[in-house]
Amino acid sequence: MRDELKKTGEIIQKLCKADDFTLIVSHNQDIHTRFAQNGITQHIDGKNLQIQLEVAFDNKTGSASVNQLDEDSLKNLVEKAEHIALLNKPDPEYVPSEKAHPLRDLIKPSAATLELQVEQLVDGIEKCIKNAQAKEARASGISERSIVKKYMLTKNGFEGYDENASFAHSMTIKKEGIETKVSGSVTDYAQFSMEQMIEQLNNQFDSLKEPQTMEKGKLAVIMRPQAVVQWLYYLIWTFQMREADEGTNPYTDQMGKQFFGENFSLRSVVSNPKISAPLFNNNGIPTKDITWIENGIIKNMQADRYYARQKEIEPASIFNIYIEGGNTSEEEMLQKAGRGVILNNLWYIRPIDMKKGEWTGLTRDGVLYFENGKIQHAVTNFRWNEILHDATKRILALGPMEQVEHNAFVPSMLIDNFNFVDVTTF
Amino acid sequence: MKFLDIAMEKARSLGADYADIRIQKTQTEIIYLRNMSLKNTSLHELYGYGIRVFKNGAWGFAHSNVFNEDAVVKTVERAYALATQSGRLKYGDGLKLATERAYIDTYRTPWCIDPFTVPLSEKVEMMLEVNKTLLGYEAIKRAMFMLECTKDEKLFASTLGSRLDLTNLYIEPAFTATAVTGDDSQSRSFRDGGVAAGWEYINNLNLIEKAEKVAEEAIMKVNADSLGAEERRTLVLDPIHMSLTMHESVGHPTELDRVLGWEADFAGISFATPEKLSNFQYGSKIVNFVADNTLPCGLATAGYDDDGVPNQKWYIVKDGILREYGTTRDTAPLLNLGMSRGCNRATYYFDFPINRIPNLYLEPGKVELSPNELIADCDDAIYIEGQGSFSIDQHRVNFQFGGDMFWEIKKGKKVRPLKKLIYKSNNPEFWNSVDAICDQRYFRTFGVTNCGKGQPGQRGRMTHGGATARFRNIRVGGSQ
């Protein structure tokens, strides 16, 4: 496949008359086995290809994509992209394509993931369904294997090839008013244990009997890693330097300052083999270890190539999530907080006020009330409206880091005074 | 096309109980302007085919972008093998497919001017002019304009004998002005959603006039007061705002796959369970929700769905009572429904069709009533225009919404703009609080083009609509 993708680059290079071009060829080979209510409802297999070409004549740009690799399609692709660029208006923020960069050595994806067959996915799901049936419950979820290959070439000399594979599994178990979910993904299927995941699911399920309704208000929360990572996706979305400078996000004039809590640090890493990291991003910028927030101080913000030039910094984007953990166990957090709730997951997070950094969302997949160092009972779900960066200032303790997704390592967090503004009916 | 026949013959020879093939080419033109910089001017094309095989009550689906006889045959074989694997863990006693007949037909979105034939320079110039207008106001620091045109060409064949040739097209312009003053920043947008129509739709919009209004209201909004603590108040909601609330709180809960728990792991389930059919007071007596996949310019008005079922019109909620769901051929039999309502749709050729919200709208009031007359009958209320923050639980009951522009109403008149306003409610409290709906003259639609659902995720499209309506006694306030 690498040679085939590279050959595409040679053809484009030969055909393209534009002053500049960036070519990205992506090839995905995925299997998705989806189940619900203890039976398979959807089963998909196939390969996807995307050949994307951006060209420029001076600072007039155009791009096109096709999903056919034959020479006629590639010729058509070049013609379309060039046609758009020639007809387009100049872009005052145009930046030429990236030049050659040394890249890290490609780490071949795990053989166990590459060789994973549909029969094995169904075997795994069968275990999940049998577990649910033993509890007279219903299981729903998805098992997925993904293999992604990417080739990138620019007129100015960048050339890169990357490959990764992952396995993901997610499942919800439901019986009457009790429902809970576990999910995760790994790069190496050999490191995945369905039994462990089922055990985690069962632990959550068994703890959720007879949920009681609690009053809304400010409460200490133990946010388990899955909930933490859900929250971070939204924080990352808005963590942009240009928007900060324009005054439309909360980070205006905060670079180098203590803006988050002192025990909150966020990094992207390439140096830990367990967390997946692409070799380069879609602009041809090689990835490297980067600290975004260190002990609450903003060290770097995301910036595209145009804006990085304006600011005379290196362009960068958050490509994986690595949150420094601590060594506080959940039992110790229960003692430390006195009373509060444990959250398994968050749901439907949306901004309320982008400038303030205020977000809303609900809890999902199980909430447990604790008091006097012990879990007392399950409670119904809450809505929260919270300023996320302010909440990091109320982190009282961090648990050990856990692999939540193949590209995310985060700890559980004990956060004081989390702002619950409503209670739900279930 | 010969590949349709090859695929169906191969599926029959393998012993499939049912099979279908969609050969689909989707072209999307996107132009994205941030301030005066063209961040994306692109044309994307996806071309391939997806084949579904149904065997012993279970599905398999395989797709390919290789167009030759060998590849088509192998794709059918792969879909059959997947169906066999699915059969190891059947849903219940195995799925059944609702009765349907064969159709040989052609459908094409009615359009006058194909947007793909309009010169790029004309589109870009129009967008630059809008952004220039927005940025002409000193307090507007960011202007964003996104224009998307999509043409979807589909050939469908099934082992029932159907042969369909479907071409659907839609167009969506949207722009936003962001005002920054002091320590705040607020945005206001022009968004009517996607419309299944040609470029003539754009020609009739008068975007410069709309840009001036958007910029002025963004500035008005950033300088406006916030509302204090949450109180129960009267809400007046415009049709564009309500399109989002009905999407989230009526459209999704009445997708039968969600009712059956098929989305439990990802997007959640529904409170609107089958025992509530024909007896549950979903809304007040004047609330009628019509599902209408024949709606002119509707984004789900596609001729047929991806089960090969023709477009239909029916009531989801009639006189306030929950009456029916949106169904597919494999979900309808689970409620002993004879026929599917034709709500099975996939986004691209490589997507498995899933139960989608139809075009769904709130029927206008039967008595003559204008928005001004409706507002005149409010002593103390809030008027919300456009769409803002939205979040609903995974059972589709408890929700919180924002908006794009807010006005305080006192003694029957809009007295001042407001900002940062949210309201909280739940199904069915919200729809049961409706006490007035304006008439047909004020009916407007909003085409949703980015409805996320499914695993792997797909982007669905459908149109909503209504006329301005009034809701009594809803919890409204600033965020606390």
Side-chain angles (χ1 to χ4, degrees), chain A residues 311-339:
Chain A
K311 303 288 285 186
E312 298 181 342
I313 56 168
E314 287 183 34
S317 53
I318 297 177
F319 55 87
N320 65 27
I321 301 168
Y322 196 81
I323 295 274
E324 298 289 340
N327 52 14
T328 311
S329 67
E330 191 165 290
E331 289 70 29
E332 288 167 329
M333 288 184 186
L334 292 173
Q335 296 291 341
K336 199 174 175 108
R339 82 185 272 274

PDB file of all heavy atoms in Angstrom, chain A residues 311-339:
ATOM      1  N   LYS A 311       2.973  35.270  14.750  1.00  0.00           N
ATOM      2  CA  LYS A 311       3.455  35.362  16.134  1.00  0.00           C
ATOM      3  C   LYS A 311       4.906  34.913  16.279  1.00  0.00           C
ATOM      4  O   LYS A 311       5.452  34.910  17.393  1.00  0.00           O
ATOM      5  CB  LYS A 311       2.577  34.494  17.049  1.00  0.00           C
ATOM      6  CG  LYS A 311       1.097  34.838  17.024  1.00  0.00           C
ATOM      7  CD  LYS A 311       0.783  36.139  17.709  1.00  0.00           C
ATOM      8  CE  LYS A 311       0.833  36.008  19.205  1.00  0.00           C
ATOM      9  NZ  LYS A 311       0.379  37.261  19.866  1.00  0.00           N
ATOM     10  N   GLU A 312       5.490  34.474  15.164  1.00  0.00           N
ATOM     11  CA  GLU A 312       6.872  33.962  15.152  1.00  0.00           C
ATOM     12  C   GLU A 312       7.069  32.828  16.150  1.00  0.00           C
ATOM     13  O   GLU A 312       7.979  32.830  16.970  1.00  0.00           O
ATOM     14  CB  GLU A 312       7.862  35.102  15.386  1.00  0.00           C
ATOM     15  CG  GLU A 312       7.783  36.151  14.286  1.00  0.00           C
ATOM     16  CD  GLU A 312       8.766  37.303  14.472  1.00  0.00           C
ATOM     17  OE1 GLU A 312       9.270  37.477  15.596  1.00  0.00           O
ATOM     18  OE2 GLU A 312       9.007  37.998  13.487  1.00  0.00           O
ATOM     19  N   ILE A 313       6.134  31.905  16.094  1.00  0.00           N
ATOM     20  CA  ILE A 313       6.239  30.697  16.913  1.00  0.00           C
ATOM     21  C   ILE A 313       6.054  29.484  15.997  1.00  0.00           C
ATOM     22  O   ILE A 313       5.768  29.639  14.815  1.00  0.00           O
ATOM     23  CB  ILE A 313       5.163  30.655  18.028  1.00  0.00           C
ATOM     24  CG1 ILE A 313       3.759  30.773  17.391  1.00  0.00           C
ATOM     25  CG2 ILE A 313       5.405  31.741  19.062  1.00  0.00           C
ATOM     26  CD1 ILE A 313       2.632  30.465  18.340  1.00  0.00           C
ATOM     27  N   GLU A 314       6.213  28.297  16.579  1.00  0.00           N
ATOM     28  CA  GLU A 314       6.007  27.096  15.776  1.00  0.00           C
ATOM     29  C   GLU A 314       4.523  26.729  15.750  1.00  0.00           C
ATOM     30  O   GLU A 314       3.866  26.764  16.794  1.00  0.00           O
ATOM     31  CB  GLU A 314       6.795  25.924  16.374  1.00  0.00           C
ATOM     32  CG  GLU A 314       8.286  26.036  16.147  1.00  0.00           C
ATOM     33  CD  GLU A 314       9.017  24.822  16.685  1.00  0.00           C
ATOM     34  OE1 GLU A 314       8.468  23.704  16.627  1.00  0.00           O
ATOM     35  OE2 GLU A 314      10.138  25.011  17.175  1.00  0.00           O
ATOM     36  N   PRO A 315       3.995  26.361  14.584  1.00  0.00           N
ATOM     37  CA  PRO A 315       2.590  25.924  14.545  1.00  0.00           C
ATOM     38  C   PRO A 315       2.439  24.603  15.293  1.00  0.00           C
ATOM     39  O   PRO A 315       3.349  23.770  15.274  1.00  0.00           O
ATOM     40  CB  PRO A 315       2.312  25.740  13.051  1.00  0.00           C
ATOM     41  CG  PRO A 315       3.653  25.549  12.423  1.00  0.00           C
ATOM     42  CD  PRO A 315       4.650  26.273  13.269  1.00  0.00           C
ATOM     43  N   ALA A 316       1.328  24.438  15.960  1.00  0.00           N
ATOM     44  CA  ALA A 316       1.129  23.191  16.723  1.00  0.00           C
ATOM     45  C   ALA A 316      -0.343  22.960  16.987  1.00  0.00           C
ATOM     46  O   ALA A 316      -1.130  23.895  17.059  1.00  0.00           O
ATOM     47  CB  ALA A 316       1.876  23.277  18.052  1.00  0.00           C
ATOM     48  N   SER A 317      -0.691  21.683  17.107  1.00  0.00           N
ATOM     49  CA  SER A 317      -2.061  21.323  17.492  1.00  0.00           C
ATOM     50  C   SER A 317      -2.000  20.124  18.440  1.00  0.00           C
ATOM     51  O   SER A 317      -1.031  19.365  18.431  1.00  0.00           O
ATOM     52  CB  SER A 317      -2.901  20.991  16.262  1.00  0.00           C
ATOM     53  OG  SER A 317      -2.253  20.012  15.493  1.00  0.00           O
ATOM     54  N   ILE A 318      -3.037  19.998  19.251  1.00  0.00           N
ATOM     55  CA  ILE A 318      -3.065  18.924  20.262  1.00  0.00           C
ATOM     56  C   ILE A 318      -3.394  17.616  19.545  1.00  0.00           C
ATOM     57  O   ILE A 318      -4.471  17.466  18.994  1.00  0.00           O
ATOM     58  CB  ILE A 318      -4.090  19.250  21.361  1.00  0.00           C
ATOM     59  CG1 ILE A 318      -3.665  20.534  22.082  1.00  0.00           C
ATOM     60  CG2 ILE A 318      -4.225  18.082  22.346  1.00  0.00           C
ATOM     61  CD1 ILE A 318      -4.618  21.029  23.146  1.00  0.00           C
ATOM     62  N   PHE A 319      -2.435  16.681  19.527  1.00  0.00           N
ATOM     63  CA  PHE A 319      -2.625  15.454  18.752  1.00  0.00           C
ATOM     64  C   PHE A 319      -2.889  14.243  19.646  1.00  0.00           C
ATOM     65  O   PHE A 319      -3.355  13.227  19.159  1.00  0.00           O
ATOM     66  CB  PHE A 319      -1.419  15.207  17.831  1.00  0.00           C
ATOM     67  CG  PHE A 319      -0.093  15.162  18.541  1.00  0.00           C
ATOM     68  CD1 PHE A 319       0.376  13.996  19.085  1.00  0.00           C
ATOM     69  CD2 PHE A 319       0.668  16.316  18.674  1.00  0.00           C
ATOM     70  CE1 PHE A 319       1.588  13.950  19.751  1.00  0.00           C
ATOM     71  CE2 PHE A 319       1.888  16.295  19.339  1.00  0.00           C
ATOM     72  CZ  PHE A 319       2.356  15.106  19.877  1.00  0.00           C
ATOM     73  N   ASN A 320      -2.573  14.321  20.908  1.00  0.00           N
ATOM     74  CA  ASN A 320      -3.055  13.324  21.866  1.00  0.00           C
ATOM     75  C   ASN A 320      -3.096  13.960  23.260  1.00  0.00           C
ATOM     76  O   ASN A 320      -2.608  15.082  23.455  1.00  0.00           O
ATOM     77  CB  ASN A 320      -2.262  12.009  21.816  1.00  0.00           C
ATOM     78  CG  ASN A 320      -0.815  12.164  22.224  1.00  0.00           C
ATOM     79  OD1 ASN A 320      -0.452  13.050  22.988  1.00  0.00           O
ATOM     80  ND2 ASN A 320       0.028  11.281  21.709  1.00  0.00           N
ATOM     81  N   ILE A 321      -3.704  13.263  24.192  1.00  0.00           N
ATOM     82  CA  ILE A 321      -3.988  13.869  25.507  1.00  0.00           C
ATOM     83  C   ILE A 321      -3.260  13.093  26.602  1.00  0.00           C
ATOM     84  O   ILE A 321      -3.482  11.885  26.775  1.00  0.00           O
ATOM     85  CB  ILE A 321      -5.508  13.838  25.790  1.00  0.00           C
ATOM     86  CG1 ILE A 321      -6.268  14.590  24.704  1.00  0.00           C
ATOM     87  CG2 ILE A 321      -5.829  14.415  27.156  1.00  0.00           C
ATOM     88  CD1 ILE A 321      -7.778  14.363  24.758  1.00  0.00           C
ATOM     89  N   TYR A 322      -2.426  13.798  27.290  1.00  0.00           N
ATOM     90  CA  TYR A 322      -1.640  13.182  28.361  1.00  0.00           C
ATOM     91  C   TYR A 322      -1.729  14.111  29.570  1.00  0.00           C
ATOM     92  O   TYR A 322      -1.135  15.186  29.590  1.00  0.00           O
ATOM     93  CB  TYR A 322      -0.199  13.046  27.873  1.00  0.00           C
ATOM     94  CG  TYR A 322       0.676  12.113  28.649  1.00  0.00           C
ATOM     95  CD1 TYR A 322       0.631  10.736  28.432  1.00  0.00           C
ATOM     96  CD2 TYR A 322       1.573  12.601  29.591  1.00  0.00           C
ATOM     97  CE1 TYR A 322       1.462   9.875  29.128  1.00  0.00           C
ATOM     98  CE2 TYR A 322       2.412  11.743  30.293  1.00  0.00           C
ATOM     99  CZ  TYR A 322       2.342  10.382  30.048  1.00  0.00           C
ATOM    100  OH  TYR A 322       3.173   9.526  30.738  1.00  0.00           O
ATOM    101  N   ILE A 323      -2.526  13.708  30.530  1.00  0.00           N
ATOM    102  CA  ILE A 323      -2.747  14.546  31.717  1.00  0.00           C
ATOM    103  C   ILE A 323      -1.981  13.932  32.882  1.00  0.00           C
ATOM    104  O   ILE A 323      -2.185  12.761  33.225  1.00  0.00           O
ATOM    105  CB  ILE A 323      -4.244  14.575  32.098  1.00  0.00           C
ATOM    106  CG1 ILE A 323      -5.054  15.251  31.003  1.00  0.00           C
ATOM    107  CG2 ILE A 323      -4.476  15.248  33.429  1.00  0.00           C
ATOM    108  CD1 ILE A 323      -5.129  16.725  31.098  1.00  0.00           C
ATOM    109  N   GLU A 324      -1.130  14.724  33.462  1.00  0.00           N
ATOM    110  CA  GLU A 324      -0.361  14.237  34.608  1.00  0.00           C
ATOM    111  C   GLU A 324      -1.311  13.755  35.710  1.00  0.00           C
ATOM    112  O   GLU A 324      -2.245  14.456  36.068  1.00  0.00           O
ATOM    113  CB  GLU A 324       0.492  15.378  35.190  1.00  0.00           C
ATOM    114  CG  GLU A 324       1.509  15.929  34.236  1.00  0.00           C
ATOM    115  CD  GLU A 324       2.655  14.979  33.978  1.00  0.00           C
ATOM    116  OE1 GLU A 324       2.881  14.065  34.801  1.00  0.00           O
ATOM    117  OE2 GLU A 324       3.315  15.130  32.931  1.00  0.00           O
ATOM    118  N   GLY A 325      -1.044  12.572  36.227  1.00  0.00           N
ATOM    119  CA  GLY A 325      -1.859  12.037  37.307  1.00  0.00           C
ATOM    120  C   GLY A 325      -1.197  12.202  38.658  1.00  0.00           C
ATOM    121  O   GLY A 325      -0.159  12.857  38.783  1.00  0.00           O
ATOM    122  N   GLY A 326      -1.814  11.604  39.644  1.00  0.00           N
ATOM    123  CA  GLY A 326      -1.251  11.614  40.993  1.00  0.00           C
ATOM    124  C   GLY A 326      -1.246  10.201  41.539  1.00  0.00           C
ATOM    125  O   GLY A 326      -1.244   9.241  40.762  1.00  0.00           O
ATOM    126  N   ASN A 327      -1.283  10.078  42.822  1.00  0.00           N
ATOM    127  CA  ASN A 327      -1.273   8.727  43.388  1.00  0.00           C
ATOM    128  C   ASN A 327      -2.389   8.520  44.408  1.00  0.00           C
ATOM    129  O   ASN A 327      -2.306   7.664  45.268  1.00  0.00           O
ATOM    130  CB  ASN A 327       0.097   8.392  43.994  1.00  0.00           C
ATOM    131  CG  ASN A 327       0.516   9.483  44.958  1.00  0.00           C
ATOM    132  OD1 ASN A 327      -0.319  10.309  45.353  1.00  0.00           O
ATOM    133  ND2 ASN A 327       1.784   9.506  45.324  1.00  0.00           N
ATOM    134  N   THR A 328      -3.434   9.325  44.293  1.00  0.00           N
ATOM    135  CA  THR A 328      -4.548   9.197  45.236  1.00  0.00           C
ATOM    136  C   THR A 328      -5.538   8.151  44.720  1.00  0.00           C
ATOM    137  O   THR A 328      -6.023   8.261  43.597  1.00  0.00           O
ATOM    138  CB  THR A 328      -5.273  10.556  45.408  1.00  0.00           C
ATOM    139  OG1 THR A 328      -4.298  11.566  45.652  1.00  0.00           O
ATOM    140  CG2 THR A 328      -6.266  10.514  46.545  1.00  0.00           C
ATOM    141  N   SER A 329      -5.806   7.163  45.526  1.00  0.00           N
ATOM    142  CA  SER A 329      -6.765   6.133  45.113  1.00  0.00           C
ATOM    143  C   SER A 329      -8.188   6.667  45.283  1.00  0.00           C
ATOM    144  O   SER A 329      -8.412   7.676  45.972  1.00  0.00           O
ATOM    145  CB  SER A 329      -6.593   4.871  45.967  1.00  0.00           C
ATOM    146  OG  SER A 329      -6.985   5.175  47.288  1.00  0.00           O
ATOM    147  N   GLU A 330      -9.151   5.972  44.676  1.00  0.00           N
ATOM    148  CA  GLU A 330     -10.542   6.415  44.808  1.00  0.00           C
ATOM    149  C   GLU A 330     -10.981   6.357  46.275  1.00  0.00           C
ATOM    150  O   GLU A 330     -11.717   7.233  46.749  1.00  0.00           O
ATOM    151  CB  GLU A 330     -11.455   5.554  43.928  1.00  0.00           C
ATOM    152  CG  GLU A 330     -12.853   6.132  43.812  1.00  0.00           C
ATOM    153  CD  GLU A 330     -13.660   5.519  42.667  1.00  0.00           C
ATOM    154  OE1 GLU A 330     -13.334   5.780  41.499  1.00  0.00           O
ATOM    155  OE2 GLU A 330     -14.612   4.772  42.963  1.00  0.00           O
ATOM    156  N   GLU A 331     -10.501   5.350  46.992  1.00  0.00           N
ATOM    157  CA  GLU A 331     -10.849   5.229  48.424  1.00  0.00           C
ATOM    158  C   GLU A 331     -10.349   6.452  49.197  1.00  0.00           C
ATOM    159  O   GLU A 331     -11.046   6.998  50.058  1.00  0.00           O
ATOM    160  CB  GLU A 331     -10.228   3.947  49.020  1.00  0.00           C
ATOM    161  CG  GLU A 331     -10.876   2.652  48.553  1.00  0.00           C
ATOM    162  CD  GLU A 331     -10.572   2.343  47.077  1.00  0.00           C
ATOM    163  OE1 GLU A 331      -9.497   2.749  46.581  1.00  0.00           O
ATOM    164  OE2 GLU A 331     -11.437   1.730  46.416  1.00  0.00           O
ATOM    165  N   GLU A 332      -9.117   6.885  48.862  1.00  0.00           N
ATOM    166  CA  GLU A 332      -8.560   8.062  49.553  1.00  0.00           C
ATOM    167  C   GLU A 332      -9.335   9.331  49.184  1.00  0.00           C
ATOM    168  O   GLU A 332      -9.518  10.223  50.015  1.00  0.00           O
ATOM    169  CB  GLU A 332      -7.077   8.221  49.197  1.00  0.00           C
ATOM    170  CG  GLU A 332      -6.207   7.148  49.850  1.00  0.00           C
ATOM    171  CD  GLU A 332      -4.796   7.088  49.265  1.00  0.00           C
ATOM    172  OE1 GLU A 332      -4.626   7.395  48.062  1.00  0.00           O
ATOM    173  OE2 GLU A 332      -3.884   6.713  50.004  1.00  0.00           O
ATOM    174  N   MET A 333      -9.785   9.379  47.918  1.00  0.00           N
ATOM    175  CA  MET A 333     -10.587  10.559  47.497  1.00  0.00           C
ATOM    176  C   MET A 333     -11.894  10.605  48.279  1.00  0.00           C
ATOM    177  O   MET A 333     -12.350  11.682  48.679  1.00  0.00           O
ATOM    178  CB  MET A 333     -10.881  10.501  45.995  1.00  0.00           C
ATOM    179  CG  MET A 333      -9.674  10.778  45.121  1.00  0.00           C
ATOM    180  SD  MET A 333     -10.145  10.791  43.368  1.00  0.00           S
ATOM    181  CE  MET A 333      -8.553  10.959  42.577  1.00  0.00           C
ATOM    182  N   LEU A 334     -12.504   9.440  48.484  1.00  0.00           N
ATOM    183  CA  LEU A 334     -13.769   9.392  49.238  1.00  0.00           C
ATOM    184  C   LEU A 334     -13.572   9.960  50.641  1.00  0.00           C
ATOM    185  O   LEU A 334     -14.411  10.702  51.158  1.00  0.00           O
ATOM    186  CB  LEU A 334     -14.268   7.943  49.346  1.00  0.00           C
ATOM    187  CG  LEU A 334     -14.734   7.254  48.064  1.00  0.00           C
ATOM    188  CD1 LEU A 334     -15.033   5.781  48.327  1.00  0.00           C
ATOM    189  CD2 LEU A 334     -15.970   7.922  47.499  1.00  0.00           C
ATOM    190  N   GLN A 335     -12.442   9.601  51.249  1.00  0.00           N
ATOM    191  CA  GLN A 335     -12.135  10.092  52.597  1.00  0.00           C
ATOM    192  C   GLN A 335     -11.899  11.595  52.585  1.00  0.00           C
ATOM    193  O   GLN A 335     -12.401  12.332  53.435  1.00  0.00           O
ATOM    194  CB  GLN A 335     -10.867   9.400  53.136  1.00  0.00           C
ATOM    195  CG  GLN A 335     -10.991   7.902  53.322  1.00  0.00           C
ATOM    196  CD  GLN A 335     -11.939   7.540  54.466  1.00  0.00           C
ATOM    197  OE1 GLN A 335     -12.232   8.375  55.326  1.00  0.00           O
ATOM    198  NE2 GLN A 335     -12.435   6.308  54.469  1.00  0.00           N
ATOM    199  N   LYS A 336     -11.132  12.016  51.585  1.00  0.00           N
ATOM    200  CA  LYS A 336     -10.713  13.419  51.517  1.00  0.00           C
ATOM    201  C   LYS A 336     -11.902  14.368  51.311  1.00  0.00           C
ATOM    202  O   LYS A 336     -11.944  15.463  51.888  1.00  0.00           O
ATOM    203  CB  LYS A 336      -9.735  13.563  50.348  1.00  0.00           C
ATOM    204  CG  LYS A 336      -8.862  14.793  50.401  1.00  0.00           C
ATOM    205  CD  LYS A 336      -7.840  14.752  49.259  1.00  0.00           C
ATOM    206  CE  LYS A 336      -7.074  16.038  49.247  1.00  0.00           C
ATOM    207  NZ  LYS A 336      -5.709  15.943  49.691  1.00  0.00           N
ATOM    208  N   ALA A 337     -12.850  13.936  50.484  1.00  0.00           N
ATOM    209  CA  ALA A 337     -13.942  14.844  50.117  1.00  0.00           C
ATOM    210  C   ALA A 337     -15.051  14.902  51.164  1.00  0.00           C
ATOM    211  O   ALA A 337     -15.776  15.887  51.237  1.00  0.00           O
ATOM    212  CB  ALA A 337     -14.532  14.437  48.787  1.00  0.00           C
ATOM    213  N   GLY A 338     -15.206  13.881  51.918  1.00  0.00           N
ATOM    214  CA  GLY A 338     -16.307  13.879  52.903  1.00  0.00           C
ATOM    215  C   GLY A 338     -17.622  13.464  52.290  1.00  0.00           C
ATOM    216  O   GLY A 338     -18.148  12.406  52.557  1.00  0.00           O
ATOM    217  N   ARG A 339     -18.165  14.314  51.417  1.00  0.00           N
ATOM    218  CA  ARG A 339     -19.391  13.947  50.711  1.00  0.00           C
ATOM    219  C   ARG A 339     -19.355  14.482  49.278  1.00  0.00           C
ATOM    220  O   ARG A 339     -18.717  15.503  49.000  1.00  0.00           O
ATOM    221  CB  ARG A 339     -20.642  14.430  51.450  1.00  0.00           C
ATOM    222  CG  ARG A 339     -21.044  15.841  51.252  1.00  0.00           C
ATOM    223  CD  ARG A 339     -22.232  16.226  52.134  1.00  0.00           C
ATOM    224  NE  ARG A 339     -23.517  15.955  51.506  1.00  0.00           N
ATOM    225  CZ  ARG A 339     -24.137  16.798  50.672  1.00  0.00           C
ATOM    226  NH1 ARG A 339     -23.564  17.933  50.297  1.00  0.00           N
ATOM    227  NH2 ARG A 339     -25.323  16.501  50.181  1.00  0.00           N
TER     228      ARG A 339
END
